[in-house]
Amino acid sequence: SQAAYNFHLQENKFDTSFSVLNNKILFLLKRRIQKNLILNYWKRRTKGRGYYDLSNHVFTGKINKKIKIPQNVIFLHIFQDSPYNVIDKNRIFVDYIDWFLITLNIIKQSNESWIIRIHPGSSRWGENLKFFIKNEIKKTKANNIILLESDISNNQIFKIAKRIITFSGTSHLEAACFGIKPIIIQSTQLDCFNKNYVLKPRSISEYNRLLIKSSNSKIFQLPARAIFGSKFLLFVREKVLTLREDLKQIDIYRSDKKLISAKNINNLFNNLPKNLSSLELNGRNLAKGYTHTFSKKYLNIL
């Protein structure tokens, strides 16, 4: 499969994501990558200087002190994007819509306030979710759920939040980097690394209990070791397992202007010659049994 400028092996009996590496290789990388590189990348990323352009947008949003952020946040996906890219046979919801609607009907029973954060790439995909989400909130007749419409920084959200829910988005890793144990639906990079770093309900009733429980519960907190492990995994996802930086590429969405695609293609042709040797080495390694391609710098480390 190809995703996020990475080629990766799909197993016969289960689906895998581009970001999920064998733990033996992860531990090898963890020993060989300097700790300060990981921490410095995380620091740069929270300032909007990472290698995932959508995260740069949301982390450089405004800090608006007039907006009161609840401690419970739902991070949505792009609804028209496919939840079937990776199928987790044990997930308790069929797709994003199924998950979102049932979640609304559970949290309306909560004694706490909740906000819904639309995916930052939703509009670039061609979606306009505000009407749909507001309409569904109205149907619940709940006064404890609001849609976050302001373009504020994720830093502001994560520093206040105590409980984070996402189907399987990158926000599960970002939450963990801030010390919040995320509630997830689909198997993700973090729970494949360590199942104790996430809350992945095995039934609707268990999911219900997690959402009704007080957000002050220690169950939603991660220890320091897990926080650093999450920052390491984010580093691997955005610096090790993608050719984006080597080839000077950015993500393209369905409603993006053709100018963005043209720029990507131009950058690709300009940067291919200087990357041919590492691309060929990646190809030979895949033929030998490697499961993923690696960026030039970290291919050499391995």
Side-chain angles (χ1 to χ4, degrees):
S1 294
Q2 187 280 134
Y5 300 100
N6 174 277
F7 287 98
H8 55 283
L9 176 71
Q10 281 296 350
E11 301 287 352
N12 289 327
K13 295 184 179 180
F14 57 90
D15 285 352
T16 55
S17 163
F18 87 93
S19 61
V20 176
L21 263 179
N22 181 290
N23 272 3
K24 286 183 179 179
I25 299 177
L26 282 173
F27 289 128
L28 177 64
L29 283 168
K30 200 172 182 183
R31 287 199 302 271
R32 294 185 179 180
I33 297 173
Q34 294 177 5
K35 186 176 181 179
N36 68 305
L37 288 177
I38 295 165
L39 296 176
N40 286 339
Y41 180 70
W42 169 245
K43 190 180 293 184
R44 290 204 334 265
R45 196 181 186 278
T46 57
K47 294 179 180 178
R49 299 203 304 268
Y51 282 99
Y52 178 32
D53 58 315
L54 283 179
S55 79
N56 291 339
H57 170 71
V58 292
F59 275 97
T60 53
K62 298 175 182 178
I63 301 294
N64 191 336
K65 294 181 179 179
K66 292 181 181 179
I67 297 177
K68 188 177 180 181
I69 304 294
Q71 295 175 335
N72 303 285
V73 188
I74 301 170
F75 282 88
L76 298 183
H77 286 254
I78 298 170
F79 281 16
Q80 293 180 60
D81 197 0
S82 175
Y84 307 112
N85 176 42
V86 175
I87 298 177
D88 176 357
K89 295 178 182 179
N90 296 314
R91 71 190 189 196
I92 58 174
F93 296 111
V94 176
D95 55 27
Y96 303 142
I97 300 287
D98 182 36
W99 160 66
F100 175 64
L101 296 181
I102 290 177
T103 300
L104 282 183
N105 280 291
I106 293 174
I107 63 174
K108 72 177 183 181
Q109 305 166 46
S110 169
N111 294 323
E112 301 184 25
S113 297
W114 295 73
I115 61 165
I116 297 168
R117 174 76 148 172
I118 292 176
H119 192 283
S122 182
S123 60
R124 285 178 61 187
W125 191 273
E127 287 185 339
N128 184 358
L129 289 176
K130 289 181 181 179
F131 175 79
F132 167 71
I133 293 171
K134 286 180 178 179
N135 192 49
E136 293 304 323
I137 292 174
K138 187 177 180 181
K139 284 181 185 178
T140 67
K141 298 180 180 179
N143 57 10
N144 64 330
I145 310 169
I146 59 171
L147 171 63
L148 181 62
E149 297 188 60
S150 298
D151 188 22
I152 67 168
S153 169
N154 267 8
N155 286 313
Q156 185 175 351
I157 295 174
F158 283 120
K159 285 177 181 177
I160 294 172
K162 292 186 177 179
R163 174 167 37 198
I164 297 290
I165 308 171
T166 183
F167 197 92
S168 60
T170 310
S171 55
H172 88 282
L173 257 185
E174 294 166 339
C177 292
F178 278 93
I180 306 164
K181 184 184 284 191
I183 300 172
I184 59 169
I185 305 305
Q186 165 119 331
S187 182
T188 63
Q189 184 182 9
L190 192 55
D191 82 300
C192 287
F193 180 68
N194 191 320
K195 294 187 183 299
N196 295 319
Y197 290 0
V198 301
L199 295 163
K200 186 172 183 284
R202 291 169 291 182
S203 64
I204 301 292
S205 58
E206 184 183 348
Y207 184 58
N208 192 103
R209 288 194 295 273
L210 287 173
L211 270 57
I212 298 302
K213 186 182 288 286
S214 167
S215 60
N216 290 316
S217 171
K218 290 185 178 180
I219 196 174
F220 301 119
Q221 299 170 14
L222 282 173
R225 182 182 176 186
I227 295 171
F228 177 74
S230 302
K231 291 175 182 177
F232 161 70
L233 289 179
L234 194 70
F235 183 93
V236 170
R237 182 189 186 101
E238 297 181 5
K239 293 282 286 181
V240 179
L241 288 178
T242 177
L243 303 175
R244 181 190 283 111
E245 186 179 352
D246 293 339
L247 300 173
K248 303 292 184 276
Q249 300 291 287
I250 62 170
D251 291 325
I252 299 174
Y253 293 81
R254 288 188 177 182
S255 290
D256 283 345
K257 295 178 180 178
K258 290 182 180 179
L259 188 64
I260 295 177
S261 301
K263 185 177 180 180
N264 252 11
I265 293 169
N266 187 56
N267 285 344
L268 184 66
F269 281 119
N270 288 336
N271 288 281
L272 269 177
K274 64 183 81 170
N275 286 282
L276 276 181
S277 59
S278 62
L279 290 171
E280 288 171 357
L281 180 56
N282 264 308
R284 287 196 294 272
N285 286 341
L286 290 176
K288 289 177 183 176
Y290 275 51
T291 57
H292 291 66
T293 52
F294 296 87
S295 63
K296 186 190 296 184
K297 182 176 180 180
Y298 297 97
L299 180 61
N300 293 333
I301 281 182
L302 285 169

